[in-house]
Amino acid sequence: MPVSEIRTKIRQEFERHRYVNQLPVVDMLLFQNHAEYQETMNYWKQLPHVLKYFREKENPTARLPENFMQGFLEGRN
């Protein structure tokens, strides 16, 4: 996976919360992102945990079932 794709995905995550103006919410988002970064750098996150952010890009047909029964009938756990 090229570095440019990783940078693009990180940028998308920041842009998703671009218009948050409440200071407590900004603090919480910063804390969560810092914790996420530390978990990744300390290898507490395994490869599947990191790749879940890129799942929709790699497989556009990957989606969650609408309800439990549909997922059960599709054979998804």
Side-chain angles (χ1 to χ4, degrees):
M1 181 171 298
V3 174
S4 61
E5 280 188 39
I6 296 170
R7 285 185 179 150
T8 302
K9 189 61 178 176
I10 291 171
R11 184 67 174 169
Q12 287 174 354
E13 288 295 315
F14 275 98
E15 290 294 326
R16 197 172 73 169
H17 301 293
R18 180 180 202 160
Y19 298 105
V20 174
N21 293 327
Q22 297 174 342
L23 192 57
V25 177
V26 172
D27 287 342
M28 185 229 11
L29 289 172
L30 287 172
F31 178 77
Q32 285 180 344
N33 287 327
H34 181 70
E36 188 97 12
Y37 173 75
Q38 287 298 324
E39 290 172 3
T40 305
M41 291 294 108
N42 292 335
Y43 292 102
W44 295 338
K45 284 186 159 205
Q46 301 299 315
L47 185 61
H49 299 132
V50 175
L51 291 179
K52 75 176 182 176
Y53 295 109
F54 302 97
R55 187 175 298 147
E56 61 211 22
K57 176 145 175 84
E58 290 181 3
N59 187 2
T61 60
R63 58 171 177 72
L64 291 175
E66 292 180 14
N67 55 35
F68 171 77
M69 188 55 73
Q70 182 183 4
F72 179 77
L73 294 174
E74 290 176 1
R76 301 181 77 166
N77 289 337

